[in-house]
Structure formats: C-alpha cells, structure tokens
Amino acid sequence: REVGQRMVFDLTFELDECDALLTDRLDDTVDYAKVCELVWLTAQDRSYRTLERLCSVICDRLIEQFDASTVTVRATKPEPPIPLAVGDVSVEVWKERP
C-alpha cells in the first residue's frame, strides 16, 4: 500500500436507454474518456485497504454519474505483493441502481 501498485480495471455497464443505438452519435452514448478519468480519480482519491471497497465506490460513482442501471467493476492487481507465485489477483463487484 505504501508504494502503490499497478491495477487493471474491467468495467461493464447496463443502460436502460441509449440513444446511440439509433443515432450512432458519440454525443448520445457514454463518454468512455470520462469513465476512465472517474475510475482513475477515485483510485487516487484516497487509499483503500481492500479492492472490494474500491470497486464498490467506483460502482456507486459510475451509477450516479452515468445513470447506468447496473455496473460491474473488476480490479486486478498484476503480480500482487504476496509470497506465492501468482500472476494476478482480482476482485469483482456488481451493483444496480437503487
């Protein structure tokens, strides 16, 4: 935790409605650059002790910001700092809009 670690995030959204299905306009869909920025800012905002909590907070913020009906966030730590030969570890959290 003191040094920080590289993490890889996988995100899945479910949207009730998406005008881009009909219009094919970028303005009518989720701005993925903003999604990436929100994830990065959330991960940098404070130090989380668990991947579970970090994923949960990211889910909440994505649902709020982008009005998704459900969001799944998977955070993966490549080469985690544990004394075993493990390639990576992941945690996945799924939430739906209340």
Side-chain angles (χ1 to χ4, degrees):
R1 286 183 45 204
E2 292 175 12
V3 176
Q5 297 172 32
R6 186 171 75 93
M7 284 195 282
V8 177
F9 292 93
D10 293 309
L11 311 170
T12 304
F13 285 76
E14 287 186 24
L15 305 172
D16 291 334
E17 295 181 21
C18 181
D19 291 340
L21 293 170
L22 301 173
T23 67
D24 197 31
R25 294 184 52 213
L26 293 176
D27 291 342
D28 291 338
T29 190
V30 173
D31 183 336
Y32 299 108
K34 289 182 180 180
V35 170
C36 292
E37 181 179 29
L38 184 146
V39 171
W40 184 81
L41 288 172
T42 303
Q44 298 298 316
D45 185 39
R46 58 173 284 238
S47 178
Y48 293 91
R49 293 183 186 183
T50 65
L51 288 177
E52 291 84 353
R53 180 65 183 147
L54 174 58
C55 288
S56 177
V57 171
I58 291 171
C59 279
D60 291 340
R61 291 182 182 179
L62 290 172
I63 288 170
E64 179 182 318
Q65 179 80 25
F66 298 100
D67 199 31
S69 55
T70 68
V71 173
T72 302
V73 175
R74 181 183 319 142
T76 300
K77 286 186 180 182
E79 302 175 7
I82 58 177
L84 299 170
V86 175
D88 57 47
V89 296
S90 297
V91 168
E92 183 173 292
V93 173
W94 173 89
K95 286 192 172 187
E96 64 183 329
R97 181 177 58 228

